[in-house]
Structures are given as C-alpha cells and as structure tokens.
Amino acid sequence: MNLIKLTTSLFLIILVDFQGKAQNLFDGWEYLFQTKKSYVVYKTPEVILIDGKADENSWEKAEWTDLFVDIEGENKKLPTYSTKIKMLWDDENLYLFAKLTEPHIWAYYTEHDQIVYHENDFEVFIDPDRTTHEYFEFEINAQNTLFDLFMTKPYRNGGIPLISWNADGFRSAIFLDGTLNQPGDTDKSWTIEMAIPFHDLRLGVHAQKPENGTHWSINFSRVQWQTEIIDGKYIRKKDDATGRILPEDNWVWSPVGVINMHYPERWGILQFSTYEVGEKTIEFTLPADEKYREYLWLLYYKQTQFKSENKTYAQTLDELDFPENPEKDVVISMQATGNQFFAELKAPGGLKLTINHEGRISKN
C-alpha cells in the first residue's frame, strides 16, 4: 500500500472513531462528512519547466493521487474517464501536474477569463488559511485558456466572484496525446502542468507562503460534458424534451457530498514537507483541530436547515438537538438572533474554534 492510500486509511479510521463516539449526532448527515483525501507535497530541488510534459526527475519521484471520483462520493457511479494529479513545491510556487484520459479532446474558448467550465475543463480550488473565506480558483481548458478568480466567501453565504482578480505569475502548459477539435479520430489524454505562485495567493499584504507542516484546504475538479458533433464541431448535448443542455459530470479528487464545489470545508487537505521529493517519506498528519471543526460544521448545517424551515435561526442548542458537550472536555456555546448566530468550541489544550452564520471558521 502506498503512502497516500495508507494515510487516507488512517484518516478514515480516525474519522470513524470520532463519528462513532457521536454516532447519533451525525445521523442523516454522513454524506457531508465523507473521508477527506490528503496529500503530502515535497520540495523539488530542480527547476520545473512548465511545458505540460512533467519529464523532470522530481515529477518522476512524486506520487500520483487516487483517481478522481464523483463529486457526491464513491457510492455514486465512477467517472467514465480517469483523472489523477501529482504535486511539488519550491520557495516560490506550488506545482501541479494533471492527467486526464479523454477520447475526444475539445475546447474553443481562447480568451482569458472566459467561463471555461462551459467546456470540458480542469479546476483547482485553494483555501490557504482554511477559514472557508477568501479562497482562490483556477480553471483551464484544453486550449490552455485560464479563468482565474478570487472568492470573498462561498456563494451560499453571498460570496462575490472577483473575476477581475488575476494571478499575474501563474504559468501553465498543455500537452495533447491526440488532436484538438478533431472529431474524426480518437484521442488518448491531455495533461496540464501549472505553477501557482505563493505571491499571488495574497490576503492583504501577506502572501500565503507555506512552511514545513503547513496545511491547506485544496481540491480539484474535472468538468465533463456530453457532446454531439454538428457541422464538424463538438456541441454540448441538449435534452430532447426540454431543449436544455444536459447537466455536466463533476469528477473530483476529494468528494464534497453535494454537487457544489464551493463547500471549502469539505475539500481535501494538503500538507507541505520541506524534504526533497524522494528523500524521505513522511506520514500525513491531521491538523490538531480537524475533528473539532466537524462538530462546528454539523452545527452550521443544522442551523442552516433550521432557518430554511423556520425563517429564523435556532436560539438554543436544544432546539437543534445538539449537545453542549459532544464529548468529554469539549464544550460548545452559541449565541443567536433571528438572522445571525455565533458558536464557540473549547477543547483540551486551550484550543478555541468559532463559526458564524456565514460559515467562517476561525481558530483563536
């Protein structure tokens, strides 16, 4: 068993143990608490040439992730075509290499910030400080057209996509094992290589530069449309009865549980190591506050549901059937009005976590 699969298994054991102690509390919400994928990213000692081929020694040593699954989880139908990635980093950039098996490679958008998810694309989502607010999104199609944006907060919380934001130092390249926009043949795959500068992942005046052991929330999505050929061109299929474009498939690295990538709390976890790739293999380590965060997210989901049904937030934990002490030495308190709420969790070691009605989670 390779390290990634081993650490994912360990994560599952920890999560099952955690949820087993509070089984009744999570009943009915399991779909939103699927096991998060994890990946340890190592440093590269060599210059990475962004050419879409990933033929440097460092890339040869880097581990592939598990294959992507449906966005709703592994209990759904497995993706038709395989997708996998590997990652590296140095003092300036996070590097990503993705391989997408694809018998028909197509893309027509060529202008920066066109909405490329209206075509088949590959997407990267990064929340460096793990608050679920102020996160970054990068989307690439097979023409190497970039759609980059900054999210103030998730759409569910009134977030605004700042499309005018640009990652000025971002670099990417595509390599095609096949031909682009040629319906008459069968292709094999397309690969994407990208460098995401830490300097561009800026919140305020500070760039999000990781250190040894730093954890980021991160996820990757592949949007795949059903197509037909009309006048020699790939066109998204429509429903014969309604005339509407058929919904896309969403294949992801770490399952979200719902068809919505903008649930940052459900993304996978990236751990940075300062060891050079291939020098030493270390085990992925969960952030110390990870299991406690899940209590607050369950409270948030219950409050959101309560407000949807009652037009007001619950004023007490009892109304949510939520315990003040979900486990020994863990205390949760909440203050609420009809339109706002704020909850705090205190755990051993002086740990304090808070969450509010906008889904912003913070560690004090």
Side-chain angles (χ1 to χ4, degrees), residues 112-115 147-150 160-166:
H112 177 233
D113 280 346
Q114 282 187 277
I115 312 301
F147 177 33
D148 53 352
L149 64 148
F150 174 78
I160 299 173
L162 300 181
I163 298 175
S164 60
W165 174 84
N166 293 320

Side-chain angles (χ1 to χ4, degrees), residues 54-109:
D55 48 11
E56 291 85 359
N57 289 332
S58 292
W59 280 128
E60 290 293 324
K61 296 176 182 178
E63 292 256 11
W64 287 108
T65 63
D66 292 335
L67 296 179
F68 282 25
V69 297
D70 185 88
I71 191 170
E72 293 186 85
E74 294 181 352
N75 291 330
K76 294 291 182 176
K77 181 182 177 181
L78 290 175
T80 307
Y81 310 121
S82 68
T83 312
K84 57 185 179 180
I85 57 176
K86 54 175 65 177
M87 287 172 274
L88 296 166
W89 71 294
D90 60 21
D91 290 339
E92 305 299 328
N93 302 289
L94 174 66
Y95 299 99
L96 170 73
F97 181 70
K99 182 175 182 179
L100 295 75
T101 300
E102 174 59 76
H104 295 285
I105 305 171
W106 66 277
Y108 300 104
Y109 292 169

Side-chain angles (χ1 to χ4, degrees), residues 14-23 25-26 288-296 322-332 345-348 351:
I14 292 169
L15 185 62
V16 167
D17 180 62
F18 156 56
Q19 292 186 352
K21 294 176 182 177
Q23 184 174 0
L25 190 60
F26 285 84
D289 62 349
E290 184 64 22
K291 76 166 187 174
Y292 301 115
R293 284 172 172 254
E294 300 295 52
Y295 285 127
L296 289 183
F322 203 99
E324 181 180 345
N325 303 103
E327 64 178 84
K328 184 180 178 182
D329 299 326
V330 175
V331 180
I332 294 178
L345 179 147
K346 295 181 180 179
L351 175 66

Side-chain angles (χ1 to χ4, degrees), residues 7 23 68 79 92 194 217 222 234 241 248 270 308 330:
T7 53
Q23 184 174 0
F68 282 25
E92 305 299 328
M194 61 179 69
S217 292
R222 174 178 178 176
Y234 292 98
E248 76 281 11
L270 182 64
S308 175
V330 175

Side-chain angles (χ1 to χ4, degrees), residues 120-228:
N120 291 350
D121 79 344
F122 180 81
E123 306 177 355
V124 183
F125 299 81
I126 302 176
D127 179 13
D129 63 5
R130 307 194 70 224
T131 65
T132 77
H133 286 211
E134 296 95 32
Y135 59 90
F136 305 86
E137 182 176 348
F138 305 87
E139 303 183 7
I140 296 282
N141 69 3
Q143 289 268 20
N144 198 30
T145 301
L146 172 65
F147 177 33
D148 53 352
L149 64 148
F150 174 78
M151 290 295 300
T152 58
K153 51 189 172 182
Y155 292 107
R156 67 188 180 199
N157 305 117
I160 299 173
L162 300 181
I163 298 175
S164 60
W165 174 84
N166 293 320
D168 294 329
F170 180 93
R171 293 173 290 140
S172 63
I174 304 292
F175 179 79
L176 306 180
D177 190 354
T179 56
L180 183 66
N181 299 331
Q182 295 294 325
D185 61 11
T186 300
D187 308 311
K188 293 183 178 180
S189 65
W190 57 296
T191 56
I192 306 165
E193 189 174 22
M194 61 179 69
I196 302 174
F198 300 127
H199 184 270
D200 286 343
L201 305 180
R202 181 182 296 274
L203 298 178
V205 299
H206 301 293
Q208 299 293 312
K209 188 172 181 178
E211 300 176 349
N212 188 55
T214 294
H215 292 97
W216 283 5
S217 292
I218 194 167
N219 212 350
F220 310 93
S221 173
R222 174 178 178 176
V223 171
Q224 189 80 10
W225 297 92
Q226 297 183 54
T227 60
E228 56 186 339

Side-chain angles (χ1 to χ4, degrees), residues 15 19 23-35 256-257 266 298:
L15 185 62
Q19 292 186 352
Q23 184 174 0
N24 294 333
L25 190 60
F26 285 84
D27 281 354
W29 297 93
E30 294 89 350
Y31 70 101
L32 280 174
F33 292 91
Q34 298 181 53
T35 303
V256 178
R266 305 269 57 93
L298 179 61

